[in-house]
Amino acid sequence: TMHSNAAADAGGAIYAAPGSALTLQSSVLTNSTALNGPGGGIAATSCAALVVWNSSLTGNAAPQSMGGALHSDGCARLVLHNG
């Protein structure tokens, strides 16, 4: 669980750097903010893989950009699964 995190740029709670692989399973990200960039909860740029499995992203914000909960740009593999 990650709650009320902030980043000056992208990825209020989590930033996945280029080439990285990120998997979240049964995770909770709430009320995090990317102040001047995308992805209040998660920002992923040119990553190898981003997998979000049975997780909750609520109340996250990117007030100056895109993707309050999640912003993915150029990731080779993106999987979102809930259920």
Side-chain angles (χ1 to χ4, degrees):
T1 298
M2 297 181 79
H3 179 70
S4 298
N5 296 285
D9 196 17
I14 297 172
Y15 175 73
S20 65
L22 172 66
T23 299
L24 293 178
Q25 185 171 347
S26 302
S27 299
V28 177
L29 280 63
T30 58
N31 300 328
S32 293
T33 304
L35 299 171
N36 295 300
I42 302 170
T45 305
S46 301
C47 65
L50 174 58
V51 178
V52 181
W53 197 268
N54 292 335
S55 296
S56 174
L57 293 94
T58 58
N60 300 291
Q64 302 298 320
S65 192
M66 304 169 281
L70 169 74
H71 177 78
S72 172
D73 182 15
C75 290
R77 181 173 179 236
L78 175 63
V79 177
L80 304 174
H81 176 79
N82 195 17

